[in-house]
C-alpha cells in the first residue's frame, strides 16, 4: 500500500465541539452528523460471546476499537544492573502489536494497556502479558529498584518502534535505537532523555489477572506510584500544564497504526448550579430557554 509522506507542517487546530448548539435532552438525530451516524445501524449489529471467541481474534478487534491509547516507554533494571533493549510483542502474530514499550534487563516490551489511574496518590498502570511465559518486566518492577515511564512523541517514534525488532535476548537495542539514557533521581533505572515527559516510579501493586475458566495467570497489571516527574519547560504553557501543540504525543490505534493529535475541540463540563433552571425547564416543558 502506497502512502503519502508524513506531513511535518501539520499543526494542532482548536475548534468548536461537533454540535455547539446542542441542548439538554436533545436526541442525536436532531443533528446532521447524528442522523448520518444512526444510518449505520441499518446494517445491524455483530454480537460476540467472548467465552466462545478465539482470543487471537478478540485481540485485533478490541485494540482497534479501544482507541486512541497513550504510548509509553517503561524502563526497568534487573538486580544485576543489566540494561538493554529487546522486544516483547503482546500479539505473537503481529510484529507491532502494542502501545507501551517496556525496557527491562532483558528486553523492551510492547504492550497495549497503559494509562493514568489517579492523581492522589499519583498512579499509572500498565500490563504485562505472561503467555507463553512470565516476562522479565513484572519481575524487575518488583525488585525495589524502581523504573521509569516515558511518553513518546512524534520526532522519535521510529527510534522507539525499532525496539520491537525480534532480536535475541542478549542483543542490546539501545545500540540501534539512537535513544539516550538519562540518569534518574530516585530510581536506578534510567529515563529516556528524548522524552519530554518522564516519570520515576515505584511499584505500588502488582495484580495477577487469572482467567476465570482455565485458572491461568495470563497477565500482570502493574500499578506504579509516580515519585518524580521530569518535564521539558518548552512543552509547558503559562498555566504550568502541557501544551499539546508542542508535546506532539502519538497514540496507538489498531494493528500497526498510530495516530497524532489533529483538530482539538473544547467542551466545557456542565455545572449544576448554573444549569439547574435550564434542565428543569427542558424536563417540564420540553424546550430550552
Amino acid at each position: 500500500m502506497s502512502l503519502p509522506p508524513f506531513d511535518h507542517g501539520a499543526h494542532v487546530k482548536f475548534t468548536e465541539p461537533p454540535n455547539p448548539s446542542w441542548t439538554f435532552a436533545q436526541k442525536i438525530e436532531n443533528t446532521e452528523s447524528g442522523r448520518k451516524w444512526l444510518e449505520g445501524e441499518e446494517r445491524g449489529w455483530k454480537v460476540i460471546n467472548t467465552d466462545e471467541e478465539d482470543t487471537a481474534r478478540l485481540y485485533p478487534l478490541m485494540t482497534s476499537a479501544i482507541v486512541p491509547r497513550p504510548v509509553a516507554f517503561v524502563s526497568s533494571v534487573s538486580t544485576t544492573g543489566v540494561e538493554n533493549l529487546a522486544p516483547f510483542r503482546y500479539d505473537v502474530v503481529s510484529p507491532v502489536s502494542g502501545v507501551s514499550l517496556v525496557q527491562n534487563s532483558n528486553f523492551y516490551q510492547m504492550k497495549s494497556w497503559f494509562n493514568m489511574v489517579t492523581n492522589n496518590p499519583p498512579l499509572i498502570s500498565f500490563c504485562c502479558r505472561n503467555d507463553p511465559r512470565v516476562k522479565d518486566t513484572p519481575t524487575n518492577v518488583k525488585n525495589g529498584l524502581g523504573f521509569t515511564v516515558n511518553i513518546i512523541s512524534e520526532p522519535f517514534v521510529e527510534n522507539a518502534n525499532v525496539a520491537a525488532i525480534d532480536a535475541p535476548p542478549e542483543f542490546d537495542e539501545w545500540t540501534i535505537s539512537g535513544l539516550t539514557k538519562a540518569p534518574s533521581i530516585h530510581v536506578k533505572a534510567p529515563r529516556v532523555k528524548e522524552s519530554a515527559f518522564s516519570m520515576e516510579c515505584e511499584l505500588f501493586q502488582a495484580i495477577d489477572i487469572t482467567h476465570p475458566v482455565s485458572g491461568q495467570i495470563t497477565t500482570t497489571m502493574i500499578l506504579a506510584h509516580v515519585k518524580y516527574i521530569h518535564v521539558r519547560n518548552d512543552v509547558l504553557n503559562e498555566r504550568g500544564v502541557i501544551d499539546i501543540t508542542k508535546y506532539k504525543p502519538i497514540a496507538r490505534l489498531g494493528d500497526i497504526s498510530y495516530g497524532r493529535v489533529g483538530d482539538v475541540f473544547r467542551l466545557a463540563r456542565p455545572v449544576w448550579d448554573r444549569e439547574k433552571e435550564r434542565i428543569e425547564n427542558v424536563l417540564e416543558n420540553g424546550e430550552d430557554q
Side-chain angles (χ1 to χ4, degrees), residues 16 40 74 76 127 141 201 209 227-229:
E16 293 182 329
V74 181
S76 65
C127 294
V141 300
C201 303
I209 308 300
K227 303 296 292 184
Y228 282 86
I229 294 175

Side-chain angles (χ1 to χ4, degrees), residues 89-108:
R89 294 191 294 252
Y90 186 87
D91 187 325
V92 296
V93 177
S94 172
V96 183
S97 61
V99 69
S100 295
L101 291 174
V102 178
Q103 178 211 346
N104 55 49
S105 61
N106 293 316
F107 43 79
Y108 248 87

Side-chain angles (χ1 to χ4, degrees), residues 68 76 97 118 124 154 222:
S76 65
S97 61
T118 176
I124 57 176
E154 291 175 21
I222 301 298

Side-chain angles (χ1 to χ4, degrees), residues 49-126:
N49 184 337
T50 60
D51 288 337
E52 299 174 356
E53 184 64 272
D54 185 350
T55 56
R57 295 176 62 87
L58 284 177
Y59 176 84
L61 174 64
M62 294 181 68
T63 56
S64 63
I66 306 171
V67 294
R69 301 187 302 275
V71 181
F73 264 125
V74 181
S75 167
S76 65
V77 61
S78 71
T79 54
T80 59
V82 178
E83 297 173 355
N84 65 341
L85 302 175
F88 172 103
R89 294 191 294 252
Y90 186 87
D91 187 325
V92 296
V93 177
S94 172
V96 183
S97 61
V99 69
S100 295
L101 291 174
V102 178
Q103 178 211 346
N104 55 49
S105 61
N106 293 316
F107 43 79
Y108 248 87
Q109 301 185 338
M110 291 200 76
K111 292 191 285 296
S112 295
W113 323 118
F114 157 71
N115 221 313
M116 179 175 173
V117 177
T118 176
N119 69 304
N120 185 23
L123 297 181
I124 57 176
S125 68
F126 60 90

Side-chain angles (χ1 to χ4, degrees), residues 115-188:
N115 221 313
M116 179 175 173
V117 177
T118 176
N119 69 304
N120 185 23
L123 297 181
I124 57 176
S125 68
F126 60 90
C127 294
C128 304
R129 182 178 176 181
N130 297 326
D131 182 26
R133 64 180 179 84
V134 176
K135 308 302 180 182
D136 288 352
T137 295
T139 300
N140 286 351
V141 300
K142 296 175 184 177
N143 64 19
L145 298 178
F147 49 98
T148 69
V149 178
N150 311 268
I151 304 301
I152 299 171
S153 297
E154 291 175 21
F156 63 96
V157 62
E158 287 87 0
N159 303 73
N161 183 62
V162 76
I165 188 172
D166 55 345
E170 64 273 12
F171 181 75
D172 181 2
E173 278 75 16
W174 277 107
T175 60
I176 60 173
S177 72
L179 296 172
T180 310
K181 299 177 185 178
S184 298
I185 296 173
H186 184 72
V187 303
K188 185 173 181 179

